[in-house]
Amino acid sequence: MIIINDIILTPDDNEDRVFEIAKRRLRGDVPDSLEIRKKAVDTRRLVRLVYSVSAHFDENAEKRLAARDKKLVYRRDVQKTEIPMCEKNGNPPVVVGFGPGGMFCALTLARAGLKPIVVERGSAIEKRQLSVEKFWAGGPLSDTNVQFGEGGAGTFSDGKLTTGINSPLCDSVLIDFVKFGANKEILTAAKPHIGTDVLCKIVRNIRCEIEKLGGKVLFDTKLTELSIKNNKIAGVKTTNGEIPCDTLILALGHSARDTQEMLLANGFEMEKKAFSVGVRLEQKQETVNRAMYGEYAGHPALPPAEYKLSYREGNRGVYSFCMCPGGYVVASASEEGGVVTNGMSLHGRDGENANAAIAVSVLPEDLESDVLSGVRFQRMLEQKAYKLGGSNYFAPCQKTLDFIECRKGNLVSSVKPTYRPGVREADLNDALPKFVCDMLKTGFAVFDKGRRGFDSMGGILTGVETRTSSPVRILRNEELQAPSCKGVYPCGEGAGYAGGIMSAACDGMKIAMKIIKGD
Ligand SMILES: Cc1cc2nc3c(=O)[nH]c(=O)nc-3n(C[C@H](O)[C@H](O)[C@H](O)COP(=O)(O)OP(=O)(O)OC[C@H]3O[C@@H](n4cnc5c(N)ncnc54)[C@H](O)[C@@H]3O)c2cc1C
C-alpha cells in the first residue's frame, strides 16, 4: 500500500475532503481503494485534524509511485503475525496471570495448539465486576479487585492503546481486539482507546477462544510456590492444588507483592527500578476542551480533549499519565488498609470530568538499598492516604490551590470528585514525601503557564497514585527466561518489560512465539 501522510483539515471541513486531497497527491494514478489509516487531533497551534490515508495499487505501481514522490510512502499491508502450529511433548505450558500479558501469551500458545493452563488469582469478569462494584459502593475490599482478576489491571481502565514501543506485534494485538469486540476505529485512530464497558466483553471473548482451542483458565487460583528441580521448573503449587509444568510464564502485573516476595525467596534475580507516584487531577472536561481546542471547544468533529504534559528538573520528572477524558477516578487498592487511585472511562468518554495522574519520578537512589524497598515505599504512601481518608477506603482529596498553599480548605468546587466510595477533605502534603509535593507544585505552575486556560489550580486532587508501574524487575536472559530457573519466562509489566496494555500484550505474544518456535 501507499501511505499519504499529513492531510490536514479544519474541524469545520467535511471529512470527504480527505479523499479529494489524497487523489490530488496521487496525480492521476487511480487506486483500487482509499482508506483513512490514522486520524489525529493536533492542538499545538491551530486546532487541526491530521489524516493519513492508505491507497492500494498493485505492488509494482506502489513501488513506482514511492520512487516518484518521496511524500508517498510504500508500506507492506498490515499483517497478522503468523503463528505456526507446534507439537511439544510433556506438560502444557502454565501461564500465571490473565492480564494483557498473560492473555495474549495464552491466546498465542493456544493458537499454536499448545493448550495452555492459565492460573489467575482473581475471578472471571462477571464475578469480578460484582466485587469491584460492591467495593466502590462502600463494601469490603475483595481478593478480586481493580488489580486482580480476568483482564488484569487494565480491565477497569480507559483502555488506551497508545504505546511507545514500535513492534510489528502491535498490529496483531489491535486486529485481535477488533476480532473480540472492539470498534474497528482503533485500527486508524492515532490514540486508540476501548473503554471499560467494551473491555469487559473483550476479555471474556478471549477467554472463550482459549478454551475453545483446548486451553484451561483457572480463576480464583493463586500461585503460591514453585517446584524447582536442578535449576529447572518442575511444577507450581496453587491455592487449588499442584500443576506439573516445564514451561511457566509469570505475567503477574505490578501489584502481586506477595508473589514477588516468594520469587525473591526462591532465588530469582530481581532489581529495583524507577517508578512514579503522585495524585489524580480532576477538572471539568469543558475546561480541558477550552484549554486544548479554544474556539472549537464542543465542536462535534472533535473528541473530548486529551493532554500530555511533562516537565523535568535534573533527573526528576513530573508528568501527566493515563489521562482519561470524560472519565472517573477509581479506587484501585489491592491490599487491606491502603488507598490507591487510578482512572477509567467508558467507551463514550462522556463523563463530566477529565482526570489524569500527575506523577513524579521516584529514582532508585530515593529508596533504601534492598530490592523490595520500592514496594515498601508505595505501601507506606497508600497506608498514609488510607488514614487521611478516614480508614474506610475513602480517599484524601483537596483543591489544587489548597495543596499548593499547604492548607486544609474545603471541597466546595465546581468540580465534583468522582472517586467512589467517597472522598474526605485532607491535606495531601501529609500523604506524600516533600520531594514529590515540591515537584508536583512546580509541575502545576509550569502546566498552567504553558497552556492558557488549563487551570490545574482550579481542579481537585485525589490521592494517592502509586501503581504507575512496577517498582521491581524480574531479570530475564536472551532466551527471555529467568537466569536462575530454566523454563520460567517473566512477562509484562510486573516483570518490568512493559508499561501499559499494548506493550504488555506484545510482550506476552513475544514470549509465546519464542516458546513456539523454540529458537
Ligand atoms: C485503573 C487502571 C487503569 C489503567 N488504564 C490504562 C490504560 O488506559 N491504558 C494502558 O495502556 N494501561 C492502563 N493501565 C495499566 C495496565 O492495566 C497495565 O499496564 C497492564 O494491565 C499490565 O498488564 P500485565 O498483563 O503485565 O499485568 P496485569 O494486567 O496487572 O495482570 C496481572 C494478572 O496477574 C494476576 N496475578 C498476580 N499474581 C498472581 C498469582 N500469584 N497467582 C495467580 N495470578 C496472579 C493478577 O490477578 C492480574 O490479573 C491501567 C491500570 C489500572 C489499574
Side-chain angles (χ1 to χ4, degrees), residues 95-99 117-132 141-145 147-152 207 211 216-224 237-243 258:
V95 179
V96 181
F98 205 45
I117 300 174
V118 178
V119 173
E120 167 54 56
R121 71 196 289 166
S123 303
I125 191 66
E126 300 81 355
K127 201 167 148 199
R128 185 180 184 198
Q129 279 175 300
L130 295 177
S131 296
V132 168
L141 176 66
S142 154
D143 290 341
T144 292
N145 47 55
Q147 308 291 349
F148 299 153
E150 184 167 22
R207 179 226 311 166
E211 288 172 339
K216 276 190 203 149
V217 185
L218 310 175
F219 291 111
D220 302 304
T221 303
K222 181 164 104 176
L223 166 75
T224 51
K237 292 183 187 155
T238 78
T239 44
N240 282 322
E242 294 187 25
I243 309 171
D258 48 359

Side-chain angles (χ1 to χ4, degrees), residues 204-487:
R204 184 177 41 227
N205 291 343
I206 294 181
R207 179 226 311 166
C208 292
E209 177 77 1
I210 292 169
E211 288 172 339
K212 212 168 81 189
L213 293 167
K216 276 190 203 149
V217 185
L218 310 175
F219 291 111
D220 302 304
T221 303
K222 181 164 104 176
L223 166 75
T224 51
E225 252 309 333
L226 302 178
S227 163
I228 300 171
K229 286 192 186 135
N230 302 327
N231 299 327
K232 196 173 177 328
I233 190 71
V236 293
K237 292 183 187 155
T238 78
T239 44
N240 282 322
E242 294 187 25
I243 309 171
C245 71
D246 30 50
T247 303
L248 172 67
I249 296 92
L250 293 174
L252 305 168
H254 52 41
S255 292
R257 294 166 173 175
D258 48 359
T259 315
Q260 289 165 351
E261 276 175 33
M262 181 271 283
L263 293 173
L264 198 60
N266 272 284
F268 277 71
E269 290 171 49
M270 291 161 69
E271 62 186 22
K272 59 180 178 170
K273 63 180 261 302
F275 56 99
S276 300
V277 301
V279 291
R280 273 270 148 184
L281 167 67
E282 254 188 304
Q283 296 161 282
K284 282 200 169 266
Q285 182 64 50
E286 267 170 40
T287 307
V288 177
N289 289 349
R290 266 199 314 276
M292 305 309 286
Y293 294 154
E295 60 176 312
Y296 285 113
H299 193 290
L302 295 172
E306 297 176 49
Y307 58 83
K308 194 169 182 194
L309 303 164
S310 65
Y311 174 71
R312 177 164 283 277
E313 265 177 13
N315 285 340
R316 199 170 315 276
V318 52
Y319 61 97
S320 64
F321 176 72
C322 185
M323 198 258 151
C324 301
Y328 306 88
V329 181
V330 290
S332 308
S334 59
E335 273 185 354
E336 295 277 341
V339 158
V340 181
T341 54
N342 213 305
M344 62 160 254
S345 40
L346 301 178
H347 181 70
R349 286 182 164 173
D350 51 5
E352 195 175 311
N353 289 353
N355 72 67
I358 306 294
V360 173
S361 35
V362 177
L363 309 169
E365 55 267 32
D366 296 321
L367 305 168
E368 290 172 61
S369 58
D370 61 300
V371 173
L372 296 180
S373 54
V375 174
R376 280 201 307 281
F377 181 83
Q378 289 177 325
R379 184 180 284 139
M380 176 189 72
L381 304 188
E382 292 163 12
Q383 290 176 347
K384 276 190 184 178
Y386 180 78
K387 281 203 186 111
L388 282 172
S391 301
N392 56 358
Y393 295 105
F394 275 42
C397 182
Q398 184 176 29
K399 286 193 255 188
T400 312
L401 212 50
D402 290 336
F403 172 69
I404 306 275
E405 294 175 2
C406 297
R407 66 171 182 230
K408 224 173 152 222
N410 61 59
L411 278 176
V412 180
S413 162
S414 60
V415 187
K416 303 279 167 269
T418 54
Y419 179 99
R420 291 189 297 146
V423 296
R424 183 186 197 212
E425 209 293 321
D427 188 354
L428 285 156
N429 289 283
D430 296 335
L432 293 161
K434 187 166 178 317
F435 76 86
V436 174
C437 294
D438 288 349
M439 198 62 186
L440 284 172
K441 289 170 195 179
T442 305
F444 291 129
V446 172
F447 300 157
D448 282 6
K449 207 165 153 206
R451 176 67 69 167
R452 204 148 60 90
F454 183 64
D455 193 25
S456 68
M457 303 290 173
I460 55 170
L461 308 176
T462 310
V464 286
E465 189 91 13
T466 47
R467 312 278 180 99
T468 52
S469 67
S470 179
V472 297
R473 175 174 293 112
I474 308 172
L475 300 192
R476 66 188 190 194
N477 57 23
E478 279 181 4
E479 304 294 300
L480 309 183
Q481 300 181 38
S484 61
C485 188
K486 208 165 162 31

Side-chain angles (χ1 to χ4, degrees), residues 179-210:
K179 173 174 172 164
F180 292 110
N183 190 307
K184 78 177 186 358
E185 71 197 17
I186 65 167
L187 301 175
T188 54
K191 293 183 180 169
H193 100 109
I194 295 183
T196 294
D197 41 350
V198 181
L199 268 168
C200 288
K201 292 178 201 144
I202 292 174
V203 298
R204 184 177 41 227
N205 291 343
I206 294 181
R207 179 226 311 166
C208 292
E209 177 77 1
I210 292 169

